[in-house]
Amino acid sequence: MHILLWLLLMYQCNLSAPQLENRANPVWEPIENYQEVSKAYFASGCFWCVEAIFSQLNGVSDVISGYTGGNTKNPTYKDICTGKTGHAEVCKIIYNPEIISYEMLLQVFFENHDPTTLNRQGNDKGTQYRSVIFYHDEKQKEIATNSLKKADKSKYWPNPIVTEITEINTARWGDAGAGLS
């Protein structure tokens, strides 16, 4: 059953992934512009696939693709594809916690990628495709840690989960639109 779901997800990602030359350049706005809503940052492989999944959820108002978790300031797509920046492909998810909880977003995160493979999702290989939950406060860290433990205990995935839980460093954010046009 898991294999069928995985194949279906990969098929949908291939259908929904935009061509890079046609991709509009999204604009990264400061977190302060989103004070009325909450933010979640997830890396779970190719961000086009992550965008496709989370943007369909009720309560999610925006999904912004970018890169973080590395040492290069403002990396481009070309930079991160080298695997030398330390960045992961990440989606910033803007959501209304009155409609969808952080816990539910984490459940969707764990159920829609293979968190047991290190530096790989499907055919995509490299540290930029690793599984990471980036938290921005201690409450998110605690919830993410508990969610990971719960997902690991569930044995939904037969192997141990290798997802990282790391503090977000927005100063090392790179806009996914940079260098794509």
Side-chain angles (χ1 to χ4, degrees):
M1 181 69 173
H2 294 296
I3 293 172
L4 183 59
L5 289 172
W6 180 252
L7 290 173
L8 182 61
L9 174 65
M10 290 296 101
Y11 177 74
Q12 179 176 348
C13 285
N14 287 333
L15 291 179
S16 64
Q19 297 300 314
L20 294 181
E21 61 270 9
N22 296 330
R23 177 87 177 145
N25 288 332
V27 176
W28 173 251
E29 295 183 26
I31 290 174
E32 294 77 23
N33 291 0
Y34 296 105
Q35 291 179 356
E36 305 290 323
V37 295
S38 293
K39 293 127 331 244
Y41 301 85
F42 299 136
S44 55
C46 170
F47 49 48
W48 308 129
C49 297
V50 178
E51 258 189 46
I53 293 164
F54 284 96
S55 65
Q56 296 178 35
L57 296 177
N58 188 30
V60 172
S61 59
D62 202 2
V63 181
I64 303 165
S65 292
Y67 323 101
T68 197
N71 301 316
T72 305
K73 191 171 184 175
N74 301 317
T76 64
Y77 185 73
K78 186 177 178 180
D79 293 335
I80 70 116
C81 284
T82 67
K84 296 177 182 177
T85 68
H87 284 72
E89 292 194 9
V90 178
C91 281
K92 175 183 176 182
I93 300 159
I94 310 299
Y95 69 99
N96 182 337
E98 298 293 320
I99 299 172
I100 189 167
S101 68
Y102 185 61
E103 291 88 343
M104 180 57 70
L105 292 174
L106 286 163
Q107 182 177 337
V108 171
F109 168 80
F110 280 117
E111 291 179 358
N112 283 283
H113 80 293
D114 184 351
T116 68
T117 56
L118 185 63
N119 300 328
R120 179 181 183 157
Q121 288 299 313
N123 290 327
D124 295 327
K125 298 177 187 174
T127 58
Q128 67 268 32
Y129 300 113
R130 67 189 184 274
S131 176
V132 188
I133 300 165
F134 291 96
Y135 64 90
H136 61 80
D137 61 29
E138 288 301 311
K139 183 176 180 186
Q140 271 196 346
K141 180 182 180 181
E142 180 182 343
I143 294 169
T145 301
N146 290 336
S147 181
L148 186 148
K149 288 176 185 175
K150 181 179 175 184
D152 209 20
K153 277 186 183 178
S154 76
K155 298 300 178 195
Y156 182 81
W157 297 101
N159 297 318
I161 292 176
V162 296
T163 300
E164 299 171 25
I165 299 175
T166 306
E167 186 172 14
I168 186 77
N169 180 350
T170 56
R172 295 288 183 210
W173 176 270
D175 185 346
L180 291 182
S181 54

